[in-house]
Amino acid sequence: MDTEAVRSFVRAAELGQLQHAADELDVTQQAVSKRIAALERELGVRLFTRTGRGVELTLDGQAFLPHARTIVTGADRAVTATKPGSRALRIDVLGFRSAQAVILHDYWRAHPGTELDVVTLRVDDPRQAAAAIQAGELDASFRTITGTLPSDLRMVPVFDSPLELLTGPSHPLASARTLTPAELRGHRIWVPGIAPRSEWAVFYDQLTTAFDLRLDAAGPHFGNEVLLDTIADSADVATLVGARDRYVWPAGYDLRRIPISGPVLAYPLSLLLPRENPHPGLRAIIDHFRSLTPPPADTWRPVWT
């Protein structure tokens, strides 16, 4: 099985766009399409269906995806293992469209020789990520432990990610160029799927208490596409997103990302890493994050910072 075809399938599945996958893999969209078509012929099934927004997994594609990720990870580790004195930095991000991943990708583009193995554990409890670091399965994770930190780990603050309000065109706040937290009061802010014990559960609890906001966490999170569909069609539902989070939607949705200031609301990003003998590549990544322009001095942050 062609591992590059499998890699192209995985990135297209995670990004939802063949062109985005091609950009990350530094090949043409035609090359990605040919690789996936060859993989579908080999497997004898259709892996994607095309939509107006890009591509979506078929049921067979959904079944194949976790195994495909294992194939890609195994191939990358096998190559790394053949290089004397070389070991890729394995780092966990909350999601491949998150600010952490976007900034990390910017770093890699500026330093393309860096050996990176970027993964997402897809766990809500940060202590599960901490356990993976302690077991040697990860070198670091962009997670925050809001309680007692294990003695053999460090948690390094690296960047405060400002929040924006994301609305559809018919929302009452859609025409605003900027908003204050006070102007958000009374408006329904939908953040589905907030998991107990997650750092974002603590964050939103403190945020809504501090500014008396109306946060709706009802329902499971069916993915960004469902969230964006709902917001585009609604006159009263909005959500909060990070200023550097990457979202893609059809032009007809006319969604609005509105900065919040007075004060800026910031989600603090931290990096968990071993206290002793961390991977030598982490220092440059921490420096890169800390070199980014910080929010203003009056920025609101949760109390754990």
Side-chain angles (χ1 to χ4, degrees):
M1 185 173 289
D2 182 353
T3 56
E4 289 309 305
V6 178
R7 188 188 306 277
S8 296
F9 161 75
V10 169
R11 297 310 290 140
E14 290 170 342
L15 297 174
Q17 297 269 346
L18 297 185
Q19 185 60 60
H20 293 337
D23 291 344
E24 290 212 358
L25 297 171
D26 199 24
V27 298
T28 64
Q29 180 176 337
Q30 184 181 25
V32 169
S33 296
K34 287 182 176 179
R35 290 175 181 177
I36 293 173
L39 185 61
E40 289 177 326
R41 286 194 298 271
E42 182 176 357
L43 295 173
V45 298
R46 295 281 294 176
L47 298 172
F48 289 113
T49 57
R50 291 184 178 272
T51 70
R53 297 192 298 269
V55 292
E56 291 183 355
L57 289 169
T58 63
L59 290 176
D60 289 317
Q62 294 174 30
F64 182 60
L65 181 58
H67 304 290
R69 286 194 177 109
T70 300
I71 291 170
V72 172
T73 300
D76 289 344
R77 290 178 179 174
V79 171
T80 300
T82 66
K83 299 178 181 178
S86 174
R87 184 173 67 81
L89 168 60
R90 192 159 199 246
I91 191 165
D92 165 56
V93 297
L94 285 176
F96 291 117
R97 295 174 184 262
S98 67
Q100 310 147 25
V102 171
I103 298 170
L104 196 57
H105 185 229
D106 289 343
Y107 171 82
W108 180 83
R109 288 171 67 91
H111 306 83
T114 304
E115 296 289 342
L116 277 178
D117 181 8
V118 182
V119 301
T120 178
L121 293 187
R122 303 186 186 279
V123 297
D124 297 322
D125 189 342
R127 294 192 176 276
Q128 292 179 261
I133 297 172
Q134 292 170 313
E137 299 169 3
L138 292 174
D139 292 302
S141 174
F142 282 97
R143 306 278 177 156
T144 296
I145 293 179
T146 58
T148 303
L149 187 69
S151 61
D152 56 346
L153 297 182
R154 294 175 58 206
M155 189 169 70
V156 181
V158 291
F159 181 65
D160 290 326
S161 178
L163 297 186
E164 297 176 334
L165 189 74
L166 181 66
T167 78
S170 58
H171 193 277
L173 300 177
S175 62
R177 300 189 64 177
T178 62
L179 291 166
T180 66
E183 290 173 309
L184 303 181
R185 289 176 188 151
H187 292 279
R188 179 187 174 198
I189 300 173
W190 188 39
V191 185
I194 297 179
R197 295 187 298 177
S198 65
E199 64 189 76
W200 49 93
V202 179
F203 173 83
Y204 282 117
D205 181 62
Q206 294 185 13
L207 177 67
T208 54
T209 299
F211 296 99
D212 191 24
L213 301 183
R214 179 189 171 198
L215 187 73
D216 180 2
H221 184 32
F222 285 103
N224 290 334
E225 288 76 13
V226 173
L227 179 65
L228 298 178
D229 288 348
T230 302
I231 291 172
D233 293 335
S234 176
D236 67 345
V237 177
T239 194
L240 293 170
V241 298
R244 287 177 176 261
D245 292 348
R246 180 172 56 193
Y247 290 90
V248 179
W249 57 78
Y253 279 18
D254 193 22
L255 299 184
R256 320 292 174 84
R257 297 182 67 146
I258 308 171
I260 301 169
S261 59
V264 167
L265 307 179
Y267 191 102
L269 302 180
S270 298
L271 194 64
L272 280 174
L273 63 154
R275 187 171 295 278
E276 301 292 338
N277 300 316
H279 192 290
L282 286 171
R283 180 71 266 167
I285 287 175
I286 291 171
D287 289 344
H288 173 75
F289 272 78
R290 287 181 167 175
S291 71
L292 301 173
T293 302
D298 66 344
T299 295
W300 177 89
R301 299 169 180 84
V303 297
W304 78 64
T305 58

